[in-house]
Amino acid sequence: MTHPHTAQPLSALKEWDAECQLLTTGRVSLLLRKGGIMETHDGFEVEHRRFLLYPTFLHQNADELQPEYLPLLRPDPAPGQIVVPALAEVVAVQKVESLEAALRLEPLQALTAGAIERRFHYRNRPWIHALLLRVRPLSAPLTLQETPELLGCVSWVPLGGADVEPGKSAVAEAELERRQAELERLLTS
């Protein structure tokens, strides 16, 4: 089942290319993030519930990626362009304030335990957010020319009216529900 074209203002979340590959193929559905999250009266929310994945190459670090995912590291295949592979929808977001709990999430995502710990303690603020995502690969990747507005160390990039056609979810709904239950189990262990 395909979904109708989405021609609406969209933002993109910058994330390592290797993680974008894992999310787009359904190998993982969980991202651990420090930035790009807002606190509301209802808890914690990502700035955007639907967003495009923006693969970055600049800060990828082989030492922070689990060994089984190292073959995904590659040089930028299209310098000067951003090739956006998928639309992501937030299924759940959890603020994790225990390092022990954050480390239990290692099998569900791509980072090493050391990387999780570094992100957890980043800027002397001991917490991290776990984002469970439903990822829909685009029927045709969106290719954008790199501009100064798209560069820089920011989490979110507004793309204006991006015309994309998301396909079916990379992970079946039953499997995504299983992954969500496992996330919740690991956080309450």
Side-chain angles (χ1 to χ4, degrees):
M1 175 175 133
T2 61
H3 300 274
H5 279 278
T6 301
Q8 60 184 8
L10 281 174
S11 289
L13 178 67
K14 288 186 174 184
E15 190 53 73
W16 290 355
D17 174 67
E19 290 207 75
C20 288
Q21 291 179 60
L22 290 166
L23 290 162
T24 301
T25 59
R27 289 175 69 185
V28 301
S29 298
L30 188 70
L31 273 182
L32 297 181
R33 298 282 306 187
K34 190 68 165 196
I37 314 293
M38 300 183 300
E39 187 169 0
T40 68
H41 67 281
D42 291 327
F44 293 88
E45 281 292 322
V46 288
E47 285 181 39
H48 305 281
R49 298 294 293 182
R50 297 176 76 235
F51 51 87
L52 294 167
L53 294 176
Y54 180 130
T56 60
F57 296 85
L58 185 58
H59 296 296
Q60 288 193 115
N61 183 341
D63 293 336
E64 294 193 342
L65 200 60
Q66 292 185 35
E68 67 191 277
Y69 302 132
L70 290 176
L72 297 175
L73 292 174
R74 60 185 178 159
D76 188 342
Q81 296 182 325
I82 295 102
V83 180
V84 177
L87 179 74
E89 301 165 347
V90 177
V91 174
V93 59
Q94 298 277 347
K95 184 175 186 183
V96 183
E97 297 181 277
S98 155
L99 178 58
E100 182 182 319
L103 292 172
R104 285 195 300 265
L105 301 179
E106 185 181 10
L108 303 184
Q109 51 77 62
L111 300 175
T112 63
I116 293 169
E117 186 169 355
R118 277 187 291 285
R119 288 186 183 193
F120 184 87
H121 289 297
Y122 183 67
R123 293 192 175 170
N124 269 341
R125 292 159 54 198
W127 47 262
I128 198 164
H129 286 97
L131 279 68
L132 186 70
L133 303 175
R134 178 182 296 110
V135 177
R136 299 179 190 281
L138 301 180
S139 58
L142 175 65
T143 302
L144 305 169
Q145 292 303 311
E146 217 171 49
T147 64
E149 296 79 32
L150 297 177
L151 300 175
C153 291
V154 295
S155 295
W156 297 102
V157 177
L159 296 181
D163 186 15
V164 297
E165 184 179 354
K168 67 178 186 170
S169 177
V171 175
E173 205 58 31
E175 173 61 14
L176 193 58
E177 289 172 9
R178 188 200 66 72
R179 291 178 183 186
Q180 184 171 5
E182 180 67 0
L183 170 64
E184 291 168 4
R185 184 189 70 75
L186 291 171
L187 289 177
T188 57
S189 294

